[in-house]
Amino acid sequence: MADRNSKCVGEVFVTYAYILLYIALSSGQIFFNKWVLSSKEINFPYPLGLTLLHMVFSSVLCFTLTKVLKIMKVEEGMTLQIYISSVIPIGAMFAMTLWLGNTAYLYISVAFAQMLKAISNAVAVFILGVAAGLEMMSCRMLMIMSVISFGVLVASYGEVIISWVGVFYQMGGVVGEALRLIFMEILLKRKGLKLNPISVMYYVSPCSAICLLIPWIFLEKSKMDAQGTWNFKPLVLTLNSLCTFALNLSVFLVISHTSALTIRVAGVVKDWVVVLLSAILFADTKLTLINLFGYAIAIVGVAAYNNHKLKKEASRVVSTDEPAQSIPLVSSPTSNK
């Protein structure tokens, strides 16, 4: 009996350790990206270049871990036809999400960017899901979306200095993320191909890197050549890329040891941590009571949306007798996650 209790305590401790690791890595990566892109010490205002580097680093590391060291396993079932018809569109949307989300840091504060990201994603996913036939419009969902949208408007109204260019980039990233999730549902999951986060990154990262390379050549390469910013500190760059990869691994650990509900709750906690800490760490972040009030309203709507989705998934699992702890296809909170 004592051994059983100690084992349970140990499992709970490990679970909470993984959750805290995810919150720390996710929050830290957001601050790290902001610092790299906007700090005068680093002087690297090239979100395309930074995101491209993340994807190249992730591609190399995934290949090393799965094919060379064979520490992790890539899910089987991928064919050339599926890769061309499904992975490439997903990779393109992933690249769009990371590029636009990181670019927003050059124009708006971390807190405001995180507010827009956290509370607008549910609305974008639902609207595009309805358009794609994956979601059904109902009075309840319409009310939830209205609450979230009202919270966004209040939070935006409370912003002291607002850049609509930054808002455009951030919302573009939100749309890209919503499209990525829709594509994963339609193009992969409905074909019966279930991928864990490592497999997703293994297949998607090289495609995203190529999608980012083309605009980087035309939009940023010449600027980097002219300003001589190729002498970027390799240690900082490597640590930034390694943190991005570690964040994706932490998502896999949390989901595999808990559930999709836990990662969503942890995401809400992380959002509040980022919003509050950014007001301390960055001079361009000035939170107002209106900001926080609008964000709180929207979070209530997001919580109601997540609850609705989880109940829907639970009923689907019961009806199909699928295991409740299967790892979902949705993953990879890279960028301003």
Side-chain angles (χ1 to χ4, degrees):
M1 186 70 179
D3 292 339
R4 182 180 298 178
N5 289 336
S6 61
K7 184 179 180 181
C8 291
V9 171
E11 290 177 352
V12 171
F13 177 79
V14 170
T15 298
Y16 278 104
Y18 285 142
I19 293 172
L20 291 176
L21 178 65
Y22 161 73
I23 294 174
L25 285 173
S26 184
S27 305
Q29 185 61 33
I30 291 172
F31 297 143
F32 204 167
N33 285 349
K34 171 68 174 180
W35 179 64
V36 169
L37 290 169
S38 62
S39 119
K40 294 181 180 178
E41 293 84 2
I42 301 301
N43 190 27
F44 195 78
Y46 304 106
L48 253 176
L50 183 65
T51 309
L52 172 60
L53 193 64
H54 288 168
M55 291 298 98
V56 172
F57 186 90
S58 178
S59 301
V60 174
L61 200 53
C62 281
F63 180 83
T64 302
L65 292 175
T66 57
K67 300 301 181 180
V68 179
L69 301 178
K70 296 183 179 180
I71 298 176
M72 298 177 179
K73 183 181 178 181
V74 176
E75 300 289 341
E76 302 295 334
M78 181 63 66
T79 64
L80 180 61
Q81 180 181 2
I82 293 178
Y83 193 89
I84 294 174
S85 63
S86 303
V87 175
I88 290 180
I90 293 170
M93 291 301 100
F94 193 36
M96 172 183 169
T97 300
L98 301 178
W99 169 21
L100 297 180
N102 282 329
T103 303
Y105 288 145
L106 299 177
Y107 300 93
I108 57 179
S109 66
V110 171
F112 189 50
Q114 193 62 26
M115 286 181 189
L116 290 177
K117 166 78 175 180
I119 61 186
S120 300
N121 191 54
V123 176
V125 170
F126 179 73
I127 292 175
L128 292 174
V130 171
L134 301 177
E135 299 279 359
M136 293 293 294
M137 180 63 74
S138 64
C139 293
R140 180 180 180 182
M141 290 305 298
L142 185 61
M143 178 66 69
I144 291 174
M145 294 301 113
S146 299
V147 170
I148 297 175
S149 300
F150 178 71
V152 173
L153 290 175
V154 174
S156 301
Y157 180 77
E159 187 70 4
V160 177
I161 302 175
I162 186 169
S163 168
W164 292 108
V165 174
V167 172
F168 172 80
Y169 277 120
Q170 185 64 21
M171 297 309 294
V174 168
V175 172
E177 174 69 2
L179 286 173
R180 181 181 76 89
L181 298 180
I182 296 298
F183 285 168
M184 292 182 80
E185 176 72 25
I186 295 176
L187 301 177
L188 287 184
K189 199 171 182 180
R190 287 191 172 183
K191 294 180 180 179
L193 188 61
K194 295 183 178 180
L195 302 176
N196 59 35
I198 290 297
S199 300
V200 172
M201 294 306 296
Y202 176 83
Y203 291 120
V204 171
S205 294
C207 177
S208 296
I210 294 175
C211 292
L212 290 166
L213 177 63
I214 297 173
W216 174 77
I217 291 175
F218 290 100
L219 298 177
E220 289 188 353
K221 184 178 182 299
S222 58
K223 296 179 182 178
M224 294 176 65
D225 290 335
Q227 297 184 14
T229 49
W230 286 97
N231 296 322
F232 182 74
K233 299 177 181 179
L235 179 59
V236 175
L237 193 64
T238 302
L239 287 176
N240 185 260
S241 300
L242 188 60
C243 286
T244 301
F245 187 81
L247 174 58
N248 292 312
L249 282 182
S250 70
V251 175
F252 171 73
L253 291 172
V254 171
I255 294 176
S256 61
H257 284 79
T258 57
S259 65
L261 173 61
T262 304
I263 198 69
R264 294 189 187 198
V265 173
V268 173
V269 175
K270 179 263 300 182
D271 292 336
W272 278 103
V273 169
V274 170
V275 169
L276 297 176
L277 282 183
S278 62
I280 302 173
L281 297 176
F282 298 103
D284 64 345
T285 301
K286 293 180 176 60
L287 292 177
T288 65
L289 290 177
I290 299 178
N291 271 145
L292 297 176
F293 179 65
Y295 188 42
I297 293 174
I299 285 297
V300 171
V302 171
Y305 172 78
N306 286 338
N307 181 62
H308 173 79
K309 291 290 291 181
L310 289 168
K311 284 184 177 179
K312 185 178 178 181
E313 291 171 7
S315 62
R316 186 186 307 164
V317 167
V318 172
S319 63
T320 57
D321 293 325
E322 292 179 355
Q325 289 292 328
S326 61
I327 297 175
L329 196 59
V330 178
S331 64
S332 303
T334 323
S335 172
N336 51 347
K337 314 107 211 89

